[in-house]
Amino acid sequence: MNLRALALVLLLALGGTGAMGAIGATGISGTSGAIGASAAQAPPGEAPVVAPATEASTFLADVEPLLSAAERAAYLALTRPYQRQAFERRFWELRDPYPETPRNELEERFRERLRLARERYSAPTDERFRMMLLLGEPGRRLMLRCAEVLWPGEIWFFGPTDRIPQGFALVFVSGGVNTDSPHRLWSPRSGYQELLLWSASPTGDLAAEATDRIPRDCPRGDEIVGGIAAASDWNDIEKRYEVVPHPNPEWVRTFLSYSTDLPEGAIPLAAEVEIRFAGRNQSRTIVDASVIVETAALRGAPDTTGAPSAVPTMALLLDGEVLRGDELFDHFRYRYELASEQLLSGATLPFAARRYLRPGSYTLVVRLQEPASGRAFRRELPLEVPPPDTLSAAAAAQQPMTGSGSGAGADASAVDRHTSTPSTALARTATPGGEAAAPAAAREPSLRLLAPLGQLTLGRMWVEADVRGVVPARVDFTLDGKPLLSKRRAPFSVEIDLGRSPRLRRLEAAAYDLAGEVVAADEVLLNSGPHRFALRLTEPQRTPATGMPLEARAEVDVPEGEELDRVEFYLNETRLATLYQPPFAVALATPPIAGLTYLKAVAFLAGSGGATEDVRVLGASASDEAVDVDFVELFAAVLDKRGRPVTDLTADKFRVLEDGKEQAVRRFENIDSLPIHAGVMIDTSASMVEELDDAEAAAHRFFREVLTPIDRAAVITFADAPRLAVRFTGNLELLAGGLAGLQAGGETRFFDSLAFALHYFSGVRGKRALVLLTDGADSESRFRFEEVLEYARRTGVTIYAIGINVPSQPVDAGVHLDQLARETGGRSFRIRRANELASVYETIRQELRSQYLLAYQSSRLDGSTDFREITVEVARPGASARTISGYYP
C-alpha cells in the first residue's frame, strides 16, 4: 500500500475529509510532543529515510490491544525513524493515567505484562496473550482438563480492577487437543457446544446434559460448571467499562499536521536559511534560524501591464525539527500573517525562529509553506552549536538570561548561511520573524526581578533586579503601585516588607536611561498560587523607529496541570504571528505607527480553551492614563425557609448592591453544570484520633458523588503543619489514596494551614469551594484569625466549615468557623461524631450544584482598593441569598 492510500485510510478512520496538511497545534508539554508526518513526497535531492518494516511491525504488534485504526494508519504512514520514535512517546504520554507523576504507570504495567505473555504463550494470536496484556494475572486459574468431555482450556477469575468495579470470569478454549495450541476466548452466547467434545442427543438439552456430566466425569467438575455459569461476555465488559483507553483521535491529525516533509505536489518556493548564534541563555546558546524569501516570489507574477499582481493578505507556516543523533530533540511552529503592505515593503522577508540549545552537533530541518497556494520550501542541514562562552563578548553581553525578541546582531554573533538556490545571497529587510541585521548594540536591554515565586511569603525580604544589555541611570521599584526606592548603581536590590497579612502583592521595577526614558522593566506577583493563568508583555518598552521591526516578547504563567496551546500577537486587531512553543518572542514587521496603536498578546490553554491577554499602547500620541473597570463574578446560593436550594429563579428576581449602591447585572446563569474546584481539608491533630476513619470514608463518598468529569478536587491535611496530600485532580483513585491511612497526632495549627490552603486555591478561576473539617481550636499558629479572614476575603474561595465536637473553650473556636463561612458565602455545620458527615456532605453537594452566577461591572471608578461590601437580595418570600460578603478590587 502506498503512502497516499495509507493517508486515505487514516482520514477514513478519523471520519474526516480534510487535507492531510490541515493546520493544527498541540499543547506544550516537552520536546516529545506531537511531531511527525507522512512524507508523501521526498524533498528534491533528498531521499526519505524510511524506517525498517521490522521496527514498525514490532511496535504495532506489541501495542495492538491498545491501538486504534487511526493510530495504526498514521504510524504506518511515517517514513523517518525519529518521527516514529516521537509517535511512540506521544502514544504512551496520552495514555498516562496519572500525568502529574513522573512515571507512566500504564506503560510500565503494560510492558511487564508483555514480558509475562511472551514467556507463557507461543503467539500473540492466542487470546490469553491479549487478555494478559489488558488485565494482567488473574486472581485464580481453573484448568479444563477432562478427556472425552471438554476441549482443553482455562477459566480465569478476576476480582474488581481499576476500570471494572465487580468480579468476573473468562473462559478460554483450545482449538485442538494439544494444550499448547492457541486458545480463543469463549462467549456465553456461543453456548456449550464450543466447549464440549460430544453433542447432545437429538431430543436432549445440551446445557442440562453438560451440567450433569461434567461434575460426574471431570476432576473439580462442580467448580468448572460454576465457572462456566459465571463467565462474562468480554465484548459487553469492554464496551461498558472502556477497558482499553483511547485518547481523543484528534491527536493523530494534530501530530501529522506538524510534518516538516513536503506535501505531494508542492510548488517549490525559492529561499535560503540563515543561522545565527546570538549569545547565551543560561547554559545554552541562543540559536536564531531564519528562512529568507524574496517578496517578489510571494507576490506572484506581474500582470500584462508589468505591474505587480494584487497582493492579498497571506498566511505562512514555519515548521522545524531539531534532531540530536537519530532522535527528535525539539520542534517548533510559527504562523505568520502578512498584510499586503508588508509584501510590498522590501526586497526580502526573513521568517525566523529562536531556540535555546546546548552546545553540540544537531540536524536542523525547516519547512516554510503557504498552504493556500501549495508553495513550500524545505531544508535539512547540519547544525554545530558552539558553547556560549566562545561567542564574542559583545554578543554574550547583550543577551538577557531569559531571552528576548528574535534577532541577532551581524556585528557580534556567529553567522552560518545555507542557500537552497544558486542565486546570490539575499539582502535583509524588515522581518516578520526576526531582524537579524540589526547591530548588537541596538538590541533591547532587559530587566529581570529575582524573587521567590509560587510560595507564601511574609515579612521582610530582599529582591534583586538583574539588568542586562544596558547600564541604567537608575532603577525604580514600586510595590502595589506605590514608590518604594530608586537606586542609581548596582546592585539594584531592595528590601521590602510584605507585612503579616497573606495577600497578593505586585512588585515592579523599571530601568531608566539618562534622558529619563524607560529602557527595560519587569514585574512579579508575590504570593500568587500555582494556578494563576496570566500573560505579560515584557517587550517592547518603547515604540520602534520607523522602518525598524517591533520586538515583541511575552511571558506566560500556566496553571498547574494545564497545557499552553499557543500565543498570538496582534497589532490593533490584526493578527501578525502565532507561536506554539516558548520562547514567545518575535520581531514583527509593521506599518508606520501613528496615532493610537496597541500591541496585544493573547495566550490560549489547550483542552479548556481558557484565554488571557495583555496590551501595550504604542505611538507618541498614546495616553499614559488608563481606567480599570472591575468585573465582579458572584456565585450565589438561594435557600428557602427549610434550608433547601431554590433553583427556578430568573435574573429579574435578583438585586445586587455594592456598598449600598445597586449594580446592573450583565450576566446571569444557573450553573448546575459549571466545573467545580473543591478541596477537602481534614484536621489530623491528636484530638481527631477517634474520628479519622469515619472522616476518610465520608470524604471519599463526597468525591465520588460530587465530582463529574469536568471537576477537580484536592486533599489537604493538617496538624503541626499543612500537607497537600493530593493536588487538584479528577482521578478518584488518587483522591482515595490521599485519604487512606490518615494518622492522628500533633498540635493544631489551624490558621496557618487555612492560609496554606487558600494560597493553593489562588489563581483558580470559576466556582471554588473548600470543605473544612476540624474541631475549631488552634494552637501555635503564627497567623492571627483576623489575618486569615482577610486573606479569605481576598481569595474569594467559598468555605464550608464543619465543626466536629467543637469544645466549649475557647469560646471563639466555633465563632471563627461561623464567621469564615459567612464572610465567604459558605455554611457552617456542627456535628458530634464523624459518622454524621454523610448528611452534611450531601447538603454541601446539593448546594454546589444549585447556585447562580451573577456578574456585573462595578460602577465605582475612583480607583480605591478598599474592601467593597456586597449584598444580594432575592424577590421571593421566605428565600434568602448567600454569597461573599465583599471583595478587594
Side-chain angles (χ1 to χ4, degrees), residues 82 114 119 176 185 212 221 270 308 333 589 613 637 702 717 746 786 861 878:
Y82 71 84
L114 181 62
E119 288 178 357
L185 188 58
D212 177 63
R333 161 164 283 196
E613 66 181 51
F702 173 74
T717 63
E786 293 74 16
L861 302 177

Side-chain angles (χ1 to χ4, degrees), residues 326-460:
D326 296 330
E327 294 188 4
L328 180 68
F329 176 76
D330 188 18
H331 71 93
F332 54 86
R333 161 164 283 196
Y334 292 68
R335 176 185 171 93
Y336 295 104
E337 274 124 323
L338 304 180
S340 57
E341 56 266 28
Q342 292 173 279
L343 293 168
L344 296 171
S345 62
T348 63
L349 285 172
F351 299 86
R354 166 162 288 189
R355 313 313 297 162
Y356 302 148
L357 300 177
R358 298 188 186 279
S361 299
Y362 302 86
T363 298
L364 174 66
V365 185
V366 291
R367 184 192 67 180
L368 181 70
Q369 66 169 339
E370 186 202 355
S373 68
R375 292 179 293 180
F377 162 83
R378 184 184 188 276
R379 183 67 169 166
E380 182 173 328
L381 52 102
L383 180 64
E384 292 291 333
V385 178
D389 294 338
T390 64
L391 301 178
S392 68
Q398 298 301 323
Q399 295 305 316
M401 294 293 286
T402 57
S404 64
S406 296
D411 297 339
S413 57
V415 180
D416 187 13
R417 176 166 289 186
H418 300 262
T419 306
S420 67
T421 64
S423 61
T424 58
L426 303 175
R428 302 297 306 266
T429 62
T431 166
E435 180 61 11
R443 297 173 60 82
E444 291 287 344
S446 71
L447 183 153
R448 184 76 168 177
L449 282 168
L450 306 179
L453 302 178
Q455 62 188 50
L456 194 59
T457 306
L458 303 176
R460 294 185 176 274

Side-chain angles (χ1 to χ4, degrees), residues 428-566:
R428 302 297 306 266
T429 62
T431 166
E435 180 61 11
R443 297 173 60 82
E444 291 287 344
S446 71
L447 183 153
R448 184 76 168 177
L449 282 168
L450 306 179
L453 302 178
Q455 62 188 50
L456 194 59
T457 306
L458 303 176
R460 294 185 176 274
M461 63 179 294
W462 280 93
V463 177
E464 181 179 353
D466 181 19
V467 182
R468 294 172 179 262
V470 68
V471 178
R474 74 177 196 273
V475 174
D476 290 353
F477 295 87
T478 60
L479 183 65
D480 297 334
K482 298 178 180 179
L484 271 181
L485 182 69
S486 180
K487 297 204 69 174
R488 298 184 180 275
R489 61 175 58 89
F492 300 106
S493 57
V494 62
E495 184 184 32
I496 60 177
D497 186 358
L498 298 179
R500 284 187 48 83
S501 177
R503 53 177 289 197
L504 191 68
R505 311 296 294 268
R506 183 182 299 274
L507 178 67
E508 299 172 272
Y512 292 82
D513 60 15
L514 291 173
E517 296 289 332
V518 175
V519 294
D522 192 20
E523 66 179 51
V524 294
L525 284 177
L526 303 174
N527 293 333
S528 63
H531 306 292
R532 170 180 163 80
F533 181 34
L535 175 145
R536 183 164 51 89
L537 277 167
T538 57
E539 301 290 348
Q541 294 298 329
R542 62 180 71 181
T543 302
T546 301
M548 295 298 292
L550 176 64
E551 301 277 350
R553 178 161 63 96
E555 295 184 359
V556 185
D557 296 327
V558 181
E560 179 183 88
E562 298 277 4
E563 289 184 348
L564 188 63
D565 183 58
R566 66 191 185 278

Side-chain angles (χ1 to χ4, degrees), residues 611-874:
T612 186
E613 66 181 51
D614 191 18
V615 175
R616 180 69 55 87
V617 178
L618 307 172
S621 61
S623 171
D624 291 331
E625 297 182 1
V627 176
D628 291 329
V629 178
D630 295 304
F631 194 74
V632 184
E633 290 186 343
L634 304 176
F635 295 95
V638 180
L639 305 179
D640 62 16
K641 290 182 179 180
R642 301 177 60 181
R644 297 173 302 186
V646 178
T647 60
D648 60 346
L649 297 175
T650 55
D652 60 308
K653 300 298 183 182
F654 288 88
R655 185 167 177 254
V656 178
L657 297 94
E658 180 179 296
D659 289 335
K661 185 175 181 179
E662 186 169 358
Q663 307 293 311
V665 176
R666 302 293 181 88
R667 181 183 173 193
F668 173 84
E669 289 183 45
N670 191 320
I671 52 171
D672 58 325
S673 60
L674 197 70
I676 297 173
H677 277 77
V680 168
M681 185 175 173
I682 299 178
D683 185 345
T684 59
S685 61
S687 59
M688 293 284 293
V689 65
E690 296 182 2
E691 313 295 345
L692 281 186
D693 288 345
D694 288 334
E696 173 189 329
H700 191 196
R701 178 179 175 181
F702 173 74
F703 288 139
R704 189 173 62 249
E705 296 182 355
V706 168
L707 296 187
T708 69
I710 61 174
D711 299 326
R712 296 293 181 265
V715 176
I716 299 171
T717 63
F718 69 97
D720 294 317
R723 183 177 75 91
L724 182 59
V726 181
R727 298 179 180 274
F728 278 123
T729 180
N731 189 292
L732 289 174
E733 292 180 50
L734 284 180
L735 293 168
L739 292 167
L742 297 179
Q743 299 292 323
E747 299 293 332
T748 310
R749 291 190 173 177
F750 172 32
F751 302 151
D752 289 355
S753 301
L754 182 55
F756 171 88
L758 293 171
H759 177 259
Y760 182 66
F761 268 90
S762 180
V764 175
R765 300 183 179 185
K767 186 159 52 172
R768 301 164 297 163
L770 178 63
V771 182
L772 168 64
L773 176 63
T774 181
D775 59 15
D778 180 85
S779 61
E780 300 184 358
S781 281
R782 58 173 177 161
F783 289 121
R784 297 188 298 269
F785 173 74
E786 293 74 16
E787 296 167 342
V788 176
L789 178 62
E790 182 186 355
Y791 191 35
R793 287 171 172 169
R794 291 183 181 275
T795 58
V797 178
T798 302
I799 297 176
Y800 292 89
I802 307 173
I804 179 169
N805 201 22
V806 177
S808 57
Q809 296 294 332
V811 176
D812 57 5
V815 174
H816 288 161
L817 297 179
D818 295 340
Q819 191 171 0
L820 282 168
R822 183 172 61 253
E823 295 279 350
T824 61
R827 294 179 69 176
S828 182
F829 303 87
R830 294 287 188 278
I831 60 176
R832 298 296 300 174
R833 302 287 298 177
N835 57 17
E836 302 174 46
L837 278 170
S839 61
V840 174
Y841 279 142
E842 174 60 19
T843 300
I844 296 173
R845 183 196 68 79
Q846 291 179 8
E847 185 167 309
L848 289 175
R849 289 299 177 197
S850 56
Q851 292 185 337
Y852 299 89
L853 172 62
L854 308 168
Y856 68 92
Q857 285 187 339
S858 175
S859 61
R860 186 171 176 179
L861 302 177
D862 59 5
S864 169
T865 58
D866 295 337
F867 184 75
R868 302 179 183 183
E869 294 186 355
I870 290 177
T871 303
V872 176
E873 299 176 351
V874 180

